[in-house]
Amino acid sequence: MTDDKDVLRDVWFGRIPTCFTLYQDEITEREAEPYYLLLPRVSYLTLVTDKVKKHFQKVMRQEDISEIWFEYEGTPLKWHYPIGLLFDLLASSSALPWNITVHFKSFPEKDLLHCPSKDVIEAHFMSCVKEADALKHKSQVINEMQKKDHKQLWMGLQNDRFDQFWAINRKLMEYPAEENGFRYIPFRIYQTTTERPFIQKLFRPVSTDGQLHTLGDLLKEVCPSAVAPEVPMPEVCSWLPTWLLASSAEGSHLPSLWRDWEEDGPTLSQQGAENRRNQTPGTETRAVPTDRRF
């Protein structure tokens, strides 16, 4: 599965057209024009928005600038959530481009973590990689890697270099031929309609009688209310971290996102599904990275 470069590239190069607009109450010396950018789904906002920051700082006084943060329709955007996850959670039913508001004042301390540098993003990213490998390989693969391998993995993500990233990431996605899969499938199911932001538990890719679990099996056990009986989910769980997570930021977790099951039933909304098909080939169950903080 890790040799299916076409699938991996399609996931990696998924982009979201986005319009950044400066918040109306920010003090500027002249009018601030919107800034348009194609955001990579597999990266983080604070990792790919240097140009956005520089664009708006040109029309502002230095004393009016503090830590940058983003919001969508009144909701602060968590920098440690991957961009694709943020979009799917908050805006997948909206028309494109995605309209994000930029702030330089009044940082929402209760809602967001501070991100003073890219070193913080790297530390978070590597924490996710290690957490996932502990579930898949008892941390054996990540511990056998050298420091330069960790750095190459990170730089591949930071610089949007598919080949650089996957030269290392493929080691994290493999398991011995005699085994049917990883020890456990690292996953999180993110929710929008409850106070619990995500669901996470131990789930083996193989049942006690030796049968390979499917995506449908996982969802029925972990979140049965999110599964429509008429929707087939034959994908074998042991394949999912390779196919669906192909180029999620850490390429190691399988968190899935199911929206609007209280309003539209236990499936993705039609507009949200259409937006996904227009952005990136693949499944409607989104594969995105995760974080232990929320």
Side-chain angles (χ1 to χ4, degrees), residues 229-250:
E230 68 275 8
V231 178
M233 296 183 190
E235 292 86 354
V236 174
C237 278
S238 58
W239 297 353
L240 294 174
T242 299
W243 259 63
L244 302 185
L245 308 180
S247 47
S248 62
E250 59 269 20

Side-chain angles (χ1 to χ4, degrees), residues 160-294:
D160 197 21
R161 301 291 178 84
F162 172 85
D163 292 325
Q164 182 181 9
F165 180 89
W166 263 96
I168 303 301
N169 189 57
R170 67 169 50 251
K171 300 176 184 178
L172 294 164
M173 308 309 295
E174 295 173 344
Y175 49 83
E178 64 272 14
E179 299 181 10
N180 286 325
F182 304 122
R183 292 177 60 246
Y184 297 102
I185 300 296
F187 76 94
R188 284 180 182 165
I189 298 177
Y190 283 82
Q191 307 178 98
T192 60
T193 56
T194 72
E195 294 182 357
R196 186 180 181 185
F198 59 80
I199 300 172
Q200 179 177 3
K201 64 179 295 185
L202 295 177
F203 188 85
R204 292 187 180 276
V206 182
S207 66
T208 54
D209 60 1
Q211 296 297 313
L212 295 177
H213 279 142
T214 66
L215 173 60
D217 294 329
L218 186 153
L219 290 174
K220 288 174 184 177
E221 177 174 328
V222 176
C223 193
S225 63
V227 181
E230 68 275 8
V231 178
M233 296 183 190
E235 292 86 354
V236 174
C237 278
S238 58
W239 297 353
L240 294 174
T242 299
W243 259 63
L244 302 185
L245 308 180
S247 47
S248 62
E250 59 269 20
S252 303
H253 275 72
L254 171 63
S256 305
L257 176 66
W258 288 77
R259 290 184 50 86
D260 302 328
W261 57 63
E262 287 192 357
E263 293 117 356
D264 299 330
T267 58
L268 294 166
S269 63
Q270 292 182 353
Q271 183 59 51
E274 182 64 28
N275 282 346
R276 288 172 175 77
R277 285 191 289 270
N278 290 338
Q279 291 157 22
T280 306
T283 177
E284 290 179 355
T285 303
R286 305 311 297 169
V288 289
T290 63
D291 180 58
R292 284 177 289 190
R293 297 163 291 177
F294 50 86

